[in-house]
Amino acid sequence: MSASNAGASADTPPIVSRNRPLMLVGTMAAMVMYTLDTTIANVALPHMTASLGATQDTITWVLTSYVLASAVALPLAGWLVDRLGIRFMMLASVLLFTVASMLCGVAQSLEQMVLFRILQGLAGAFLSPLAQTVTLDSSTAAERPRMMGIYTQGVMLGPITGPIIGGYLTDNFDWRWVFYVNLPVGILCFLLLLLYLPKTPTRERRVDFRGWLLVAIAVSSVQLILDRGLTLDWFASAEIVTYAVLAFGAGWLAIFHLSGTAQPLFPTALFRDRNFTVGLAFMFLIGLVMMSVMALLPGLLQQIYGYTPFQAGMLLAPRGIGMLASITLFGRFMAKVDARLLLAVGLLMMGGSMWMMTGWSIEMPRGPIIAAGLLQGLGLSFTFMPMNLISFATLSPQYRTDASSLGNLMRNIGSSIGISAASVELARNVQINHAELGAHVTQSAVPFNLDQLGAYGTAGEAALRIADGMVNQQAAMIAYINDFYAMALACLVAVPLLFFVRIAKTQR
Protein backbone atom coordinates (compact mmCIF):
# COMPACT_ATOMS: atom_id res chain seq x y z
CA MET A 1 0.00 0.00 0.00
CA SER A 2 0.93 3.59 -0.40
CA ALA A 3 2.06 5.55 2.51
CA SER A 4 -0.53 8.16 1.69
CA ASN A 5 -3.19 9.16 4.11
CA ALA A 6 -6.55 7.91 2.86
CA GLY A 7 -8.36 10.69 4.61
CA ALA A 8 -6.50 13.53 2.96
CA SER A 9 -8.61 15.90 0.93
CA ALA A 10 -8.26 16.28 -2.83
CA ASP A 11 -6.65 19.69 -2.33
CA THR A 12 -4.07 18.51 0.21
CA PRO A 13 -1.63 15.96 -1.25
CA PRO A 14 -0.46 13.21 1.12
CA ILE A 15 3.21 14.14 0.58
CA VAL A 16 4.08 17.79 1.26
CA SER A 17 7.70 18.81 0.66
CA ARG A 18 9.35 22.09 1.61
CA ASN A 19 10.61 22.25 -1.98
CA ARG A 20 8.45 20.10 -4.26
CA PRO A 21 10.24 21.00 -7.55
CA LEU A 22 13.65 19.88 -6.26
CA MET A 23 12.12 16.79 -4.64
CA LEU A 24 10.54 15.83 -7.98
CA VAL A 25 13.81 16.53 -9.81
CA GLY A 26 15.59 14.09 -7.51
CA THR A 27 12.78 11.55 -7.78
CA MET A 28 12.48 11.71 -11.56
CA ALA A 29 16.24 11.74 -12.11
CA ALA A 30 16.55 8.55 -10.03
CA MET A 31 13.82 6.89 -12.07
CA VAL A 32 15.36 8.04 -15.38
CA MET A 33 18.74 6.68 -14.21
CA TYR A 34 17.13 3.28 -13.66
CA THR A 35 15.23 3.20 -16.96
CA LEU A 36 18.27 4.56 -18.80
CA ASP A 37 20.22 1.47 -17.82
CA THR A 38 17.71 -0.80 -19.55
CA THR A 39 19.07 0.37 -22.94
CA ILE A 40 22.28 2.36 -22.41
CA ALA A 41 24.35 -0.83 -22.64
CA ASN A 42 22.70 -1.99 -25.89
CA VAL A 43 25.02 -0.21 -28.31
CA ALA A 44 28.06 -1.19 -26.23
CA LEU A 45 27.31 -4.95 -26.33
CA PRO A 46 29.56 -5.66 -29.35
CA HIS A 47 32.48 -4.02 -27.49
CA MET A 48 31.68 -5.86 -24.25
CA THR A 49 31.64 -9.24 -26.02
CA ALA A 50 35.38 -9.34 -26.62
CA SER A 51 36.35 -7.53 -23.42
CA LEU A 52 34.37 -9.88 -21.16
CA GLY A 53 35.13 -13.10 -23.05
CA ALA A 54 31.46 -13.59 -24.00
CA THR A 55 29.77 -14.85 -27.17
CA GLN A 56 27.02 -13.36 -29.32
CA ASP A 57 24.47 -15.62 -27.58
CA THR A 58 25.58 -15.04 -23.97
CA ILE A 59 26.24 -11.30 -24.07
CA THR A 60 22.47 -10.61 -24.00
CA TRP A 61 22.55 -11.80 -20.37
CA VAL A 62 23.89 -8.33 -19.59
CA LEU A 63 20.43 -7.01 -20.55
CA THR A 64 18.14 -9.81 -19.37
CA SER A 65 19.81 -10.30 -15.96
CA TYR A 66 19.14 -6.65 -15.14
CA VAL A 67 15.49 -6.75 -16.18
CA LEU A 68 14.87 -10.14 -14.57
CA ALA A 69 16.36 -9.06 -11.23
CA SER A 70 14.06 -6.04 -11.23
CA ALA A 71 11.06 -8.25 -11.99
CA VAL A 72 11.88 -10.58 -9.10
CA ALA A 73 12.32 -7.74 -6.58
CA LEU A 74 9.37 -5.57 -7.61
CA PRO A 75 6.58 -7.54 -5.85
CA LEU A 76 8.10 -6.63 -2.49
CA ALA A 77 7.81 -2.87 -3.09
CA GLY A 78 4.44 -2.38 -1.36
CA TRP A 79 5.45 -4.31 1.76
CA LEU A 80 8.82 -2.57 2.05
CA VAL A 81 7.24 0.89 1.70
CA ASP A 82 4.68 0.11 4.40
CA ARG A 83 7.36 -1.19 6.77
CA LEU A 84 10.19 1.27 6.05
CA GLY A 85 8.57 4.29 4.39
CA ILE A 86 9.07 5.86 0.98
CA ARG A 87 11.95 8.11 2.10
CA PHE A 88 14.10 5.25 3.41
CA MET A 89 13.37 3.05 0.37
CA MET A 90 14.19 5.78 -2.13
CA LEU A 91 17.46 6.70 -0.42
CA ALA A 92 18.56 3.07 -0.01
CA SER A 93 17.66 2.20 -3.61
CA VAL A 94 19.54 5.18 -5.07
CA LEU A 95 22.63 4.49 -2.96
CA LEU A 96 22.79 0.75 -3.76
CA PHE A 97 22.08 1.36 -7.45
CA THR A 98 24.97 3.85 -7.64
CA VAL A 99 27.39 1.42 -5.97
CA ALA A 100 26.25 -1.42 -8.25
CA SER A 101 26.82 0.80 -11.30
CA MET A 102 30.42 1.38 -10.21
CA LEU A 103 30.91 -2.39 -9.82
CA CYS A 104 29.53 -3.01 -13.33
CA GLY A 105 32.11 -0.56 -14.66
CA VAL A 106 35.00 -2.51 -13.14
CA ALA A 107 33.74 -6.01 -14.10
CA GLN A 108 36.42 -8.19 -15.70
CA SER A 109 34.36 -11.18 -16.88
CA LEU A 110 30.85 -11.98 -18.07
CA GLU A 111 30.12 -13.76 -14.79
CA GLN A 112 31.07 -10.67 -12.79
CA MET A 113 29.08 -8.40 -15.08
CA VAL A 114 25.93 -10.52 -14.80
CA LEU A 115 26.31 -10.67 -11.00
CA PHE A 116 26.70 -6.89 -10.70
CA ARG A 117 23.85 -6.28 -13.18
CA ILE A 118 21.62 -8.47 -10.99
CA LEU A 119 22.60 -6.36 -7.97
CA GLN A 120 21.92 -3.22 -10.00
CA GLY A 121 18.50 -4.53 -11.05
CA LEU A 122 17.58 -5.50 -7.48
CA ALA A 123 18.63 -2.09 -6.15
CA GLY A 124 16.84 -0.11 -8.85
CA ALA A 125 13.68 -2.19 -9.04
CA PHE A 126 11.81 0.09 -6.63
CA LEU A 127 12.81 3.41 -8.17
CA SER A 128 10.14 3.51 -10.89
CA PRO A 129 7.09 2.55 -8.74
CA LEU A 130 8.26 4.78 -5.89
CA ALA A 131 8.77 7.68 -8.30
CA GLN A 132 5.23 7.19 -9.57
CA THR A 133 3.86 7.09 -6.02
CA VAL A 134 5.76 10.24 -5.00
CA THR A 135 4.62 12.05 -8.15
CA LEU A 136 0.96 11.17 -7.55
CA ASP A 137 0.98 11.59 -3.77
CA SER A 138 2.61 15.03 -3.95
CA SER A 139 -0.07 16.30 -6.37
CA THR A 140 -3.70 17.29 -6.01
CA ALA A 141 -6.40 15.53 -8.00
CA ALA A 142 -6.49 18.39 -10.52
CA GLU A 143 -2.72 18.24 -11.03
CA ARG A 144 -2.45 14.50 -11.56
CA PRO A 145 -3.06 14.31 -15.34
CA ARG A 146 -0.29 16.86 -15.91
CA MET A 147 2.01 15.15 -13.42
CA MET A 148 1.32 11.80 -15.06
CA GLY A 149 2.47 13.37 -18.32
CA ILE A 150 5.74 14.41 -16.67
CA TYR A 151 6.18 10.94 -15.21
CA THR A 152 5.52 9.38 -18.63
CA GLN A 153 8.21 11.55 -20.20
CA GLY A 154 10.64 10.36 -17.54
CA VAL A 155 9.77 6.69 -18.07
CA MET A 156 10.31 6.97 -21.82
CA LEU A 157 13.29 9.32 -21.69
CA GLY A 158 15.66 6.70 -20.28
CA PRO A 159 15.17 3.88 -22.80
CA ILE A 160 15.16 6.29 -25.75
CA THR A 161 18.18 8.42 -24.83
CA GLY A 162 20.12 5.44 -23.49
CA PRO A 163 21.50 4.31 -26.89
CA ILE A 164 22.58 7.88 -27.73
CA ILE A 165 24.47 8.37 -24.48
CA GLY A 166 25.82 4.81 -24.60
CA GLY A 167 26.97 5.25 -28.20
CA TYR A 168 28.74 8.54 -27.46
CA LEU A 169 30.52 7.16 -24.40
CA THR A 170 31.52 3.95 -26.20
CA ASP A 171 32.85 5.80 -29.26
CA ASN A 172 34.73 8.52 -27.40
CA PHE A 173 35.76 6.86 -24.14
CA ASP A 174 35.15 3.22 -23.21
CA TRP A 175 32.11 0.99 -22.77
CA ARG A 176 32.69 1.05 -19.00
CA TRP A 177 31.61 4.69 -18.93
CA VAL A 178 28.01 3.65 -19.71
CA PHE A 179 27.99 2.56 -16.06
CA TYR A 180 30.30 5.18 -14.55
CA VAL A 181 27.98 7.94 -15.84
CA ASN A 182 25.49 6.92 -13.13
CA LEU A 183 27.82 7.97 -10.31
CA PRO A 184 27.36 11.78 -10.43
CA VAL A 185 23.64 11.41 -11.17
CA GLY A 186 23.17 8.99 -8.29
CA ILE A 187 25.01 11.23 -5.83
CA LEU A 188 22.92 14.27 -6.86
CA CYS A 189 19.66 12.32 -6.55
CA PHE A 190 20.63 11.04 -3.11
CA LEU A 191 21.36 14.55 -1.83
CA LEU A 192 18.12 16.05 -3.23
CA LEU A 193 16.00 13.24 -1.77
CA LEU A 194 17.83 13.43 1.55
CA LEU A 195 17.04 17.15 1.80
CA TYR A 196 13.52 17.39 0.37
CA LEU A 197 11.69 14.03 0.48
CA PRO A 198 9.77 13.98 3.79
CA LYS A 199 9.16 10.96 5.94
CA THR A 200 5.90 9.09 5.41
CA PRO A 201 3.89 6.99 7.87
CA THR A 202 4.83 3.32 8.26
CA ARG A 203 2.74 0.42 9.48
CA GLU A 204 3.09 -3.23 10.38
CA ARG A 205 2.25 -5.51 7.48
CA ARG A 206 2.97 -9.18 6.95
CA VAL A 207 4.68 -10.15 3.73
CA ASP A 208 3.60 -13.10 1.65
CA PHE A 209 7.03 -14.68 1.21
CA ARG A 210 5.53 -17.90 -0.12
CA GLY A 211 3.69 -16.04 -2.87
CA TRP A 212 6.79 -13.99 -3.68
CA LEU A 213 8.96 -17.12 -3.87
CA LEU A 214 6.53 -18.86 -6.22
CA VAL A 215 6.33 -15.83 -8.51
CA ALA A 216 10.12 -15.45 -8.49
CA ILE A 217 10.67 -19.13 -9.39
CA ALA A 218 8.11 -19.00 -12.20
CA VAL A 219 9.49 -15.79 -13.73
CA SER A 220 13.13 -16.88 -13.39
CA SER A 221 12.44 -20.30 -14.92
CA VAL A 222 10.72 -18.79 -17.95
CA GLN A 223 13.66 -16.43 -18.43
CA LEU A 224 16.18 -19.28 -18.19
CA ILE A 225 14.24 -21.24 -20.81
CA LEU A 226 14.45 -18.30 -23.20
CA ASP A 227 18.12 -17.57 -22.45
CA ARG A 228 19.38 -21.16 -22.60
CA GLY A 229 16.92 -22.82 -24.98
CA LEU A 230 18.68 -22.09 -28.27
CA THR A 231 22.08 -23.18 -26.95
CA LEU A 232 20.75 -26.41 -25.44
CA ASP A 233 18.40 -27.39 -28.30
CA TRP A 234 15.27 -26.58 -26.30
CA PHE A 235 13.29 -29.51 -24.90
CA ALA A 236 15.85 -32.04 -26.08
CA SER A 237 17.79 -30.88 -23.02
CA ALA A 238 17.00 -32.12 -19.51
CA GLU A 239 17.96 -28.69 -18.16
CA ILE A 240 15.29 -26.94 -20.23
CA VAL A 241 12.70 -29.56 -19.28
CA THR A 242 13.54 -28.92 -15.61
CA TYR A 243 13.04 -25.19 -16.06
CA ALA A 244 9.72 -25.81 -17.82
CA VAL A 245 8.46 -28.03 -14.99
CA LEU A 246 9.52 -25.41 -12.43
CA ALA A 247 7.84 -22.61 -14.37
CA PHE A 248 4.56 -24.48 -14.81
CA GLY A 249 4.48 -25.84 -11.26
CA ALA A 250 5.40 -22.57 -9.54
CA GLY A 251 3.05 -20.57 -11.77
CA TRP A 252 0.13 -22.92 -11.09
CA LEU A 253 0.75 -22.89 -7.33
CA ALA A 254 1.17 -19.11 -7.34
CA ILE A 255 -2.28 -18.62 -8.92
CA PHE A 256 -3.98 -20.78 -6.28
CA HIS A 257 -1.97 -19.34 -3.42
CA LEU A 258 -2.47 -15.68 -4.33
CA SER A 259 -6.20 -16.16 -4.86
CA GLY A 260 -6.74 -18.06 -1.61
CA THR A 261 -4.42 -16.69 1.07
CA ALA A 262 -5.65 -14.14 3.60
CA GLN A 263 -2.83 -11.62 2.97
CA PRO A 264 -1.52 -12.21 -0.56
CA LEU A 265 1.56 -10.66 -2.11
CA PHE A 266 -0.68 -8.18 -3.96
CA PRO A 267 -4.06 -7.00 -2.54
CA THR A 268 -6.89 -8.88 -4.26
CA ALA A 269 -8.73 -5.55 -4.66
CA LEU A 270 -6.29 -4.72 -7.47
CA PHE A 271 -7.51 -7.62 -9.59
CA ARG A 272 -11.15 -6.79 -8.97
CA ASP A 273 -10.55 -3.48 -10.74
CA ARG A 274 -11.20 -4.21 -14.42
CA ASN A 275 -9.36 -1.15 -15.69
CA PHE A 276 -6.23 -2.01 -13.77
CA THR A 277 -6.30 -5.64 -14.90
CA VAL A 278 -6.59 -4.62 -18.56
CA GLY A 279 -3.88 -2.03 -17.94
CA LEU A 280 -1.54 -4.82 -16.80
CA ALA A 281 -1.98 -6.54 -20.16
CA PHE A 282 -1.06 -3.32 -21.96
CA MET A 283 1.95 -2.77 -19.70
CA PHE A 284 3.19 -6.26 -20.56
CA LEU A 285 2.73 -5.55 -24.26
CA ILE A 286 4.52 -2.19 -24.12
CA GLY A 287 7.46 -3.74 -22.32
CA LEU A 288 7.59 -6.63 -24.78
CA VAL A 289 7.46 -4.53 -27.95
CA MET A 290 9.33 -1.40 -26.85
CA MET A 291 12.28 -3.09 -25.18
CA SER A 292 12.69 -5.87 -27.75
CA VAL A 293 12.85 -3.42 -30.64
CA MET A 294 15.28 -1.20 -28.69
CA ALA A 295 17.46 -4.28 -28.08
CA LEU A 296 17.39 -5.33 -31.75
CA LEU A 297 17.97 -2.03 -33.51
CA PRO A 298 21.52 -1.24 -32.28
CA GLY A 299 22.75 -4.57 -33.63
CA LEU A 300 20.92 -4.06 -36.92
CA LEU A 301 22.26 -0.54 -37.39
CA GLN A 302 25.86 -1.45 -36.51
CA GLN A 303 26.23 -4.91 -38.01
CA ILE A 304 24.08 -4.63 -41.14
CA TYR A 305 24.34 -0.93 -41.98
CA GLY A 306 27.81 -0.34 -40.57
CA TYR A 307 27.03 2.67 -38.35
CA THR A 308 29.20 3.48 -35.34
CA PRO A 309 27.68 3.15 -31.84
CA PHE A 310 27.11 6.91 -31.62
CA GLN A 311 25.58 7.08 -35.12
CA ALA A 312 23.30 4.18 -34.21
CA GLY A 313 22.27 5.99 -31.03
CA MET A 314 21.50 9.16 -32.98
CA LEU A 315 19.34 7.21 -35.44
CA LEU A 316 17.32 5.95 -32.46
CA ALA A 317 16.83 9.53 -31.20
CA PRO A 318 13.77 10.30 -33.40
CA ARG A 319 11.74 8.03 -31.10
CA GLY A 320 12.44 10.42 -28.25
CA ILE A 321 11.85 13.47 -30.41
CA GLY A 322 8.49 12.14 -31.59
CA MET A 323 7.42 11.24 -28.06
CA LEU A 324 8.47 14.51 -26.42
CA ALA A 325 7.00 16.62 -29.24
CA SER A 326 3.71 14.75 -28.98
CA ILE A 327 3.45 15.13 -25.20
CA THR A 328 4.47 18.80 -25.40
CA LEU A 329 1.87 19.60 -28.07
CA PHE A 330 -0.98 17.32 -27.04
CA GLY A 331 -0.25 16.39 -23.41
CA ARG A 332 -2.58 19.01 -21.94
CA PHE A 333 -5.44 17.78 -24.15
CA MET A 334 -4.96 14.06 -23.50
CA ALA A 335 -6.76 14.19 -20.15
CA LYS A 336 -9.85 15.63 -21.92
CA VAL A 337 -10.08 12.92 -24.59
CA ASP A 338 -11.36 9.38 -24.12
CA ALA A 339 -8.27 7.45 -23.02
CA ARG A 340 -9.46 4.39 -24.94
CA LEU A 341 -9.38 6.30 -28.22
CA LEU A 342 -5.91 7.67 -27.50
CA LEU A 343 -4.60 4.22 -26.63
CA ALA A 344 -6.08 2.73 -29.80
CA VAL A 345 -4.42 5.46 -31.88
CA GLY A 346 -1.11 4.84 -30.10
CA LEU A 347 -1.21 1.08 -30.70
CA LEU A 348 -2.03 1.59 -34.38
CA MET A 349 0.85 4.06 -34.71
CA MET A 350 3.26 1.63 -33.07
CA GLY A 351 2.02 -1.22 -35.24
CA GLY A 352 2.34 1.02 -38.30
CA SER A 353 5.93 1.91 -37.44
CA MET A 354 6.80 -1.79 -37.13
CA TRP A 355 5.12 -2.43 -40.46
CA MET A 356 7.26 0.30 -42.03
CA MET A 357 10.34 -1.44 -40.66
CA THR A 358 9.42 -4.69 -42.43
CA GLY A 359 10.13 -2.85 -45.70
CA TRP A 360 13.75 -2.10 -44.82
CA SER A 361 16.52 -3.48 -47.02
CA ILE A 362 20.29 -3.93 -46.73
CA GLU A 363 21.07 -0.89 -48.86
CA MET A 364 18.87 1.93 -47.62
CA PRO A 365 19.26 5.65 -46.77
CA ARG A 366 18.61 6.99 -43.27
CA GLY A 367 15.21 8.48 -44.14
CA PRO A 368 13.08 5.34 -43.54
CA ILE A 369 14.89 4.71 -40.23
CA ILE A 370 14.15 8.25 -39.03
CA ALA A 371 10.52 8.16 -40.26
CA ALA A 372 9.77 4.86 -38.52
CA GLY A 373 11.38 6.18 -35.32
CA LEU A 374 9.29 9.37 -35.33
CA LEU A 375 6.07 7.43 -35.85
CA GLN A 376 7.01 4.99 -33.10
CA GLY A 377 7.74 7.87 -30.72
CA LEU A 378 4.32 9.38 -31.44
CA GLY A 379 2.72 6.00 -30.84
CA LEU A 380 4.50 5.53 -27.53
CA SER A 381 3.34 8.93 -26.25
CA PHE A 382 -0.26 8.17 -27.23
CA THR A 383 0.04 4.79 -25.52
CA PHE A 384 1.92 5.30 -22.28
CA MET A 385 0.07 8.22 -20.70
CA PRO A 386 -3.49 6.96 -21.47
CA MET A 387 -2.45 3.50 -20.27
CA ASN A 388 -1.41 4.90 -16.88
CA LEU A 389 -4.57 7.04 -16.63
CA ILE A 390 -6.74 4.02 -17.40
CA SER A 391 -4.91 1.79 -14.92
CA PHE A 392 -5.12 4.22 -11.98
CA ALA A 393 -8.41 5.97 -12.79
CA THR A 394 -10.62 3.74 -10.62
CA LEU A 395 -8.10 2.60 -7.98
CA SER A 396 -8.18 3.77 -4.38
CA PRO A 397 -5.10 5.87 -3.44
CA GLN A 398 -4.10 3.35 -0.75
CA TYR A 399 -3.21 0.81 -3.43
CA ARG A 400 -0.97 3.04 -5.54
CA THR A 401 2.42 1.66 -4.52
CA ASP A 402 1.27 -1.96 -4.87
CA ALA A 403 -0.41 -1.16 -8.19
CA SER A 404 2.61 0.71 -9.50
CA SER A 405 5.00 -2.09 -8.50
CA LEU A 406 2.74 -4.70 -10.13
CA GLY A 407 2.48 -2.60 -13.29
CA ASN A 408 6.25 -2.21 -13.44
CA LEU A 409 6.61 -5.94 -12.79
CA MET A 410 4.44 -6.73 -15.81
CA ARG A 411 6.38 -4.27 -17.96
CA ASN A 412 9.70 -5.79 -16.80
CA ILE A 413 8.49 -9.33 -17.45
CA GLY A 414 7.34 -8.24 -20.89
CA SER A 415 10.70 -6.55 -21.50
CA SER A 416 12.70 -9.57 -20.36
CA ILE A 417 10.63 -12.03 -22.37
CA GLY A 418 10.60 -9.70 -25.37
CA ILE A 419 14.39 -9.24 -25.42
CA SER A 420 15.06 -12.96 -25.02
CA ALA A 421 12.37 -14.10 -27.46
CA ALA A 422 13.43 -11.57 -30.11
CA SER A 423 17.10 -12.56 -29.73
CA VAL A 424 16.30 -16.28 -29.86
CA GLU A 425 14.02 -15.89 -32.87
CA LEU A 426 16.62 -13.73 -34.58
CA ALA A 427 19.39 -16.30 -34.08
CA ARG A 428 17.13 -19.19 -35.16
CA ASN A 429 15.96 -17.40 -38.29
CA VAL A 430 19.51 -16.43 -39.23
CA GLN A 431 20.47 -20.10 -39.19
CA ILE A 432 17.42 -21.15 -41.18
CA ASN A 433 17.75 -18.35 -43.70
CA HIS A 434 21.48 -18.96 -44.12
CA ALA A 435 20.85 -22.60 -44.98
CA GLU A 436 18.09 -21.73 -47.45
CA LEU A 437 20.02 -18.89 -49.10
CA GLY A 438 23.27 -20.87 -49.17
CA ALA A 439 21.53 -23.63 -51.13
CA HIS A 440 20.82 -21.09 -53.90
CA VAL A 441 24.40 -19.84 -54.23
CA THR A 442 25.30 -21.17 -57.68
CA GLN A 443 27.91 -20.37 -60.27
CA SER A 444 25.67 -17.74 -61.87
CA ALA A 445 25.16 -15.93 -58.55
CA VAL A 446 28.82 -15.09 -57.85
CA PRO A 447 31.51 -13.39 -59.98
CA PHE A 448 34.01 -16.28 -59.72
CA ASN A 449 34.27 -20.01 -60.46
CA LEU A 450 33.25 -21.93 -57.35
CA ASP A 451 34.74 -25.20 -58.60
CA GLN A 452 38.23 -23.75 -59.02
CA LEU A 453 38.56 -21.74 -55.80
CA GLY A 454 40.74 -24.37 -54.15
CA ALA A 455 43.46 -23.75 -56.70
CA TYR A 456 43.84 -20.12 -55.60
CA GLY A 457 44.87 -20.84 -52.00
CA THR A 458 44.26 -17.95 -49.58
CA ALA A 459 42.66 -15.88 -52.33
CA GLY A 460 40.11 -18.60 -52.89
CA GLU A 461 39.39 -18.79 -49.15
CA ALA A 462 38.90 -15.02 -49.07
CA ALA A 463 36.42 -15.26 -51.94
CA LEU A 464 34.48 -17.92 -50.07
CA ARG A 465 34.41 -15.75 -46.94
CA ILE A 466 33.06 -12.86 -49.00
CA ALA A 467 30.30 -15.06 -50.40
CA ASP A 468 29.47 -16.42 -46.95
CA GLY A 469 29.42 -12.88 -45.54
CA MET A 470 26.94 -11.78 -48.17
CA VAL A 471 24.70 -14.76 -47.37
CA ASN A 472 24.96 -14.02 -43.62
CA GLN A 473 24.00 -10.40 -44.16
CA GLN A 474 20.94 -11.30 -46.22
CA ALA A 475 19.94 -14.02 -43.73
CA ALA A 476 20.22 -11.58 -40.81
CA MET A 477 18.18 -8.91 -42.60
CA ILE A 478 15.35 -11.35 -43.26
CA ALA A 479 15.48 -12.47 -39.61
CA TYR A 480 15.17 -8.87 -38.36
CA ILE A 481 12.21 -8.28 -40.67
CA ASN A 482 10.45 -11.40 -39.33
CA ASP A 483 10.82 -10.03 -35.78
CA PHE A 484 9.32 -6.69 -36.88
CA TYR A 485 6.33 -8.51 -38.40
CA ALA A 486 5.70 -10.25 -35.06
CA MET A 487 5.85 -6.95 -33.13
CA ALA A 488 3.44 -5.25 -35.54
CA LEU A 489 0.99 -8.12 -35.11
CA ALA A 490 1.25 -7.92 -31.30
CA CYS A 491 0.25 -4.23 -31.37
CA LEU A 492 -2.79 -4.89 -33.56
CA VAL A 493 -3.97 -7.91 -31.56
CA ALA A 494 -4.03 -5.79 -28.35
CA VAL A 495 -6.54 -3.22 -29.67
CA PRO A 496 -9.70 -5.32 -28.88
CA LEU A 497 -8.74 -5.30 -25.18
CA LEU A 498 -9.95 -1.69 -25.07
CA PHE A 499 -13.56 -2.90 -25.18
CA PHE A 500 -13.09 -4.15 -21.60
CA VAL A 501 -12.07 -0.72 -20.26
CA ARG A 502 -14.61 1.50 -18.54
CA ILE A 503 -14.15 5.22 -17.97
CA ALA A 504 -14.42 6.32 -14.36
CA LYS A 505 -16.91 9.08 -13.50
CA THR A 506 -14.46 10.60 -11.04
CA GLN A 507 -10.71 10.69 -10.74
CA ARG A 508 -9.32 10.11 -7.28
Side-chain angles (χ1 to χ4, degrees), residues 277-361:
T277 305
V278 175
L280 291 179
F282 283 118
M283 290 177 189
F284 177 86
L285 172 72
I286 295 301
L288 187 145
V289 173
M290 182 185 73
M291 293 307 302
S292 57
V293 73
M294 293 301 291
L296 288 177
L297 284 178
L300 171 62
L301 295 175
Q302 292 179 66
Q303 295 167 10
I304 301 295
Y305 294 112
Y307 293 112
T308 66
F310 180 65
Q311 289 172 333
M314 290 300 295
L315 285 173
L316 297 177
R319 282 163 180 75
I321 295 172
M323 184 201 70
L324 294 176
S326 176
I327 291 180
T328 301
L329 294 174
F330 307 116
R332 68 181 64 181
F333 305 109
M334 285 186 178
K336 303 176 182 179
V337 180
D338 190 329
R340 295 170 296 186
L341 176 61
L342 293 174
L343 191 49
V345 170
L347 289 171
L348 292 175
M349 284 183 176
M350 287 180 61
S353 70
M354 300 296 176
W355 186 263
M356 290 172 62
M357 292 161 67
T358 63
W360 289 3
S361 60

Side-chain angles (χ1 to χ4, degrees), residues 221-222 225 235 238-250:
S221 298
V222 170
I225 291 172
F235 292 98
E239 182 180 333
I240 297 300
V241 172
T242 301
Y243 294 148
V245 171
L246 283 173
F248 179 80

Side-chain angles (χ1 to χ4, degrees), residues 365-381:
R366 300 182 181 186
I369 301 174
I370 295 172
L374 284 171
L375 183 59
Q376 198 171 114
L378 290 170
L380 286 170
S381 66

Side-chain angles (χ1 to χ4, degrees), residues 385-461:
M385 183 175 172
M387 179 181 67
N388 279 295
L389 290 175
I390 286 173
S391 300
F392 288 86
T394 53
L395 272 181
S396 172
Q398 63 181 325
Y399 298 122
R400 282 188 187 134
T401 299
D402 283 302
S404 184
S405 64
L406 183 55
N408 280 275
L409 171 65
M410 292 302 295
R411 191 168 68 244
N412 279 11
I413 292 175
S415 300
S416 186
I417 291 176
I419 292 172
S420 294
S423 300
V424 166
E425 191 65 13
L426 180 69
R428 187 181 74 88
N429 280 331
V430 168
Q431 294 175 356
I432 294 172
N433 296 333
H434 186 277
E436 292 180 353
L437 292 173
H440 291 84
V441 176
T442 61
Q443 182 61 59
S444 60
V446 294
F448 41 77
N449 192 327
L450 292 171
D451 297 326
Q452 297 181 2
L453 286 179
Y456 295 98
T458 56
E461 293 177 4

Side-chain angles (χ1 to χ4, degrees), residues 123-160:
F126 311 112
L127 292 177
S128 188
L130 290 179
Q132 187 169 23
T133 301
V134 171
T135 302
L136 290 172
D137 282 5
S138 63
S139 311
T140 63
E143 293 174 322
R144 280 181 197 132
R146 180 172 61 87
M147 299 305 293
M148 188 59 71
I150 295 174
Y151 173 80
T152 300
Q153 293 182 52
V155 169
M156 301 306 303
L157 187 63
I160 290 170

Side-chain angles (χ1 to χ4, degrees), residues 30-92:
M31 190 265 292
V32 170
M33 181 175 64
Y34 163 73
T35 58
L36 184 76
D37 270 50
T38 59
T39 58
I40 193 172
N42 288 12
V43 294
L45 288 182
H47 297 264
M48 290 186 196
T49 303
S51 180
L52 298 176
T55 65
Q56 190 66 36
D57 295 331
T58 58
I59 195 63
T60 56
W61 295 352
V62 175
L63 304 180
T64 56
S65 60
Y66 177 78
V67 178
L68 178 61
S70 297
V72 170
L74 267 169
L76 298 177
W79 171 69
L80 288 171
V81 166
D82 279 348
R83 292 295 300 270
L84 303 174
I86 291 178
R87 174 184 166 86
F88 179 88
M89 286 301 301
M90 283 291 291
L91 290 172

